Amino acid sequence: MSDASEHKLTSRFPTRIHRLEVAGQTIDLLAPVDPDALLDDPIVEQRYKADNYLPYWPIIWPSGLMMAERILTAAESPPALPVGASGGGVARCIDLGCGLGSTGIAAGRRGWHVTFTDYDPEAVEFAGHNALRNGVPAERIRAMHMDWRQPVEEKFPWVLASDVLYERRLHPLLLGAVKALLAPGGEAWVSDPQRTAAEDFPIAALEHGFKVTAINMQGQNFAGGVQAGTLYILRHAGV
């Protein structure tokens, strides 16, 4: 972990460390102390005017932790690499809307090379830093700003997206990005805490040419109570 990297992040925002227990493992996440304070940031105001963007990335969302736990513990996790996958047998995944990085960190701890991406460049910086903080080797971390409307021209056998279905208007953008990024034979894992806005997501995914499997999950909400969630596993239809 680079002291210079942490200084850069902490000099812009007052920060704190969230210490989380996920599947019996500790994950430490550096995060801004007050996410609401970012609403007054001039850069955030510009992004809001352009895209109705709000900075949700500093919040630790329940279904992100549920998916991180599943990545670390489930028998079918990580998924098997597709036959003939590009990359010389290197297990590569991409995290869409990475936020502070908990989901990608879990994948990194399972040995995968993780590309952390977010609409907000500052989220990407925090996620990359947090991955290093949590023992993911630097050579297995890539952190980059990415707009779902302009995904990188690469294919990944595993695409991750946690707690990103909070607005229906974003579903076509997410599904378009997944369609462009997901390698043949690969899987996309999309988690949600059973929001009303996500009810139509499986239908939208089918319309975009995916086969959809829904798996129930369970975790804790912000008040410490039981929180239900859903993991949607998307695969290219006909592959």
Side-chain angles (χ1 to χ4, degrees), residues 76 78-83 112 157 185-187:
E76 70 276 18
L81 286 176
V83 176
W112 283 61
E187 294 183 0

Side-chain angles (χ1 to χ4, degrees), residues 95-161:
D95 189 355
L96 307 181
C98 64
L100 294 170
S102 58
T103 300
I105 288 168
R109 286 189 172 179
R110 296 303 304 268
W112 283 61
H113 290 239
V114 185
T115 297
F116 293 89
T117 70
D118 203 285
Y119 180 82
D120 195 313
E122 284 154 352
V124 169
E125 290 187 61
F126 272 83
H129 173 84
N130 283 330
L132 283 172
R133 171 182 284 276
N134 285 277
V136 181
E139 63 271 17
R140 290 203 266 112
I141 299 169
R142 180 170 59 162
M144 58 189 294
H145 167 252
M146 193 185 78
D147 188 319
W148 292 345
R149 292 166 292 197
Q150 297 176 309
V152 294
E153 295 183 0
E154 300 177 40
K155 299 290 186 183
F156 297 83
W158 198 14
V159 176
L160 305 171

Side-chain angles (χ1 to χ4, degrees), residues 21 52 58 87 102 120 135 140 150 155 159 162 164 189 213 217 225:
E21 294 297 322
N52 291 328
S102 58
D120 195 313
R140 290 203 266 112
Q150 297 176 309
K155 299 290 186 183
V159 176
S162 60
V164 294
W189 289 22
T213 302
M217 300 189 296

Side-chain angles (χ1 to χ4, degrees), residues 4 44 57 63-64 88 93 115 140 175 190-191 199 235 239:
V44 171
W57 63 267
S63 73
C93 66
T115 297
R140 290 203 266 112
L175 288 165
V190 183
S191 68
E199 290 176 351
R235 302 176 180 88
V239 175

